[in-house]
């Protein structure tokens, strides 16, 4: 999660909403990313989506079985759906997202029993640090 926090800080420095994501498998970091929506003018350029694309390319497979994704904030519906589609086994996130959280707060795409794959979810890891980065970012823009 510390690596994801660093990615979030770097995203904030470029004017992006400070979200960071890391994908690892077997203790090896496979991919890291921060938000790039503003830079790329791409609404799908969330940290999770970029990290998933990088990991799939590195592993030459869209199936990211055996992988864990660490994210500084609870994934939105799009990102939770991508985590599901990639068959990522575990999600660890920092701060909950009361407005768009799709891993247990508003909805739970990651563990919906109607779907054919479920992701183990560990919420609240370094939650205060993850929330503080976001709070600081948004308070500086208001």
């Amino acid at each position: 999660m510390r690596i994801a926090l660093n990615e979030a800080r770097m995203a904030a420095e470029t004017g992006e909403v400070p979200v960071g994501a890391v994908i690892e498998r077997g203790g090896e970091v496979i991919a890291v990313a921060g938000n790039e929506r503003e830079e790329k003018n791409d609404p799908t350029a969330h940290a999770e989506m970029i990290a998933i694309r990088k990991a799939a390319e590195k592993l030459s497979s869209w199936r990211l079985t055996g992988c864990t994704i660490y994210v500084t904030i609870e994934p939105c519906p799009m990102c939770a759906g991508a985590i599901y589609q990639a068959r990522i086994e575990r999600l660890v996130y920092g701060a909950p997202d009361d407005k768009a959280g799709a891993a247990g707060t508003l909805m739970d795409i990651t563990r919906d029993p109607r779907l054919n794959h479920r992701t183990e979810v560990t919420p609240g890891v370094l939650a205060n640090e993850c929330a503080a980065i976001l709070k600081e970012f948004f308070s500086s823009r208001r």
Side-chain angles (χ1 to χ4, degrees), residues 64-68 87-91 117-121:
L64 302 180
T65 53
C67 290
T68 297
R87 306 301 191 258
I88 293 175
E89 291 183 15
R90 184 169 177 236
L91 160 66
H117 172 76
R118 282 166 227 34
T119 301
E120 176 188 335
V121 177

Side-chain angles (χ1 to χ4, degrees), residues 7 18-20 38 40 58 71 74 76-77 83 86 102 105 108 111-114 124:
E7 288 295 313
V19 176
E38 301 300 325
K40 298 200 183 234
K58 182 168 184 174
V71 187
E74 181 179 3
C76 72
I83 289 166
T105 299
D108 197 349
R111 295 174 288 195
D112 189 320
R114 297 168 295 180

Side-chain angles (χ1 to χ4, degrees), residues 49-63:
M49 300 294 286
I50 296 165
I52 289 169
R53 287 182 192 117
K54 287 179 176 181
E57 184 175 338
K58 182 168 184 174
L59 298 175
S60 299
S61 177
W62 63 266
R63 289 181 184 91

Side-chain angles (χ1 to χ4, degrees), residues 5-27:
L5 278 163
N6 189 51
E7 288 295 313
R9 286 184 191 97
M10 290 191 304
E13 289 173 9
T14 65
E16 300 283 351
V17 173
V19 176
V22 174
I23 297 177
E24 66 87 18
R25 184 169 73 180

